[in-house]
């Protein structure tokens, strides 16, 4: 489903991050990360991801700077969170796909794959 696509994973929960990485690999994708902080996620953008799966809040705060950097580079992304979008990100990018936890990893992978295809 992902056919070699490079997917940035930013998730601070180790179990969820591992599940996402396994799901990406299982769909023939390449996982970048996981990053547990916005700083680490911003560094992974330099590896030119084809898409991204982001938790809304990481260990060092909201994912907003990472999402904005990805949007500026037209990298498709999906927010996988229990909280929804941070308000400032919702105002700037109301079209970002949000999947609320708990949801099957397959749902998240299908969503990012579809978003990449649309691009």
């Amino acid at each position: 489903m992902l056919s070699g696509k490079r997917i940035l994973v930013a998730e601070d929960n180790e179990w969820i991050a591992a599940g996402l990485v396994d799901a990406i690999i299982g769909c023939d994708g390449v996982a970048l990360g996981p990053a547990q902080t916005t700083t680490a996620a911003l560094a992974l953008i330099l590896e030119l991801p084809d898409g991204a799966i982001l938790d809304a809040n990481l260990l060092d705060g909201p994912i907003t700077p990472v999402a904005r950097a990805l949007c500026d580079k037209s990298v498709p992304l999906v927010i996988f969170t229990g909280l929804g979008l941070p308000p400032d990100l919702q105002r700037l990018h109301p079209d970002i796909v949000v999947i609320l936890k708990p949801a099957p990893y397959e749902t998240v992978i299908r969503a990012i794959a579809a978003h990449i295809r649309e691009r």
Side-chain angles (χ1 to χ4, degrees):
M1 182 183 315
L2 292 174
S3 322
K5 298 296 183 191
R6 298 161 53 84
I7 309 299
L8 187 156
V9 176
E11 171 63 61
D12 58 357
N13 179 298
E14 292 178 21
W15 294 101
I16 294 172
L20 289 170
V21 167
D22 288 346
I24 290 166
I25 293 167
C27 291
D28 298 322
V30 176
L32 302 177
Q36 292 188 313
T37 64
T38 57
T39 303
L42 287 167
L44 286 174
I45 293 173
L46 299 175
E47 295 192 32
L48 305 174
D50 297 298
I53 301 169
L54 313 174
D55 187 7
N57 289 291
L58 299 178
L59 294 177
D60 59 352
I63 199 69
T64 302
V66 177
R68 291 181 70 185
L70 290 165
C71 288
D72 288 348
K73 294 181 179 300
S74 299
V75 175
L77 63 101
V78 171
I79 304 291
F80 185 43
T81 183
L83 303 174
L85 282 178
D88 55 338
L89 190 56
Q90 189 172 17
R91 278 191 305 280
L92 292 169
H93 300 284
D95 55 331
I96 291 177
V97 175
V98 177
I99 299 173
L100 293 176
K101 295 173 185 172
Y105 298 128
E106 181 179 301
T107 300
V108 181
I109 299 303
R110 269 188 274 161
I112 193 60
H115 204 23
I116 290 170
R117 280 192 305 272
E118 291 169 4
R119 183 178 84 150

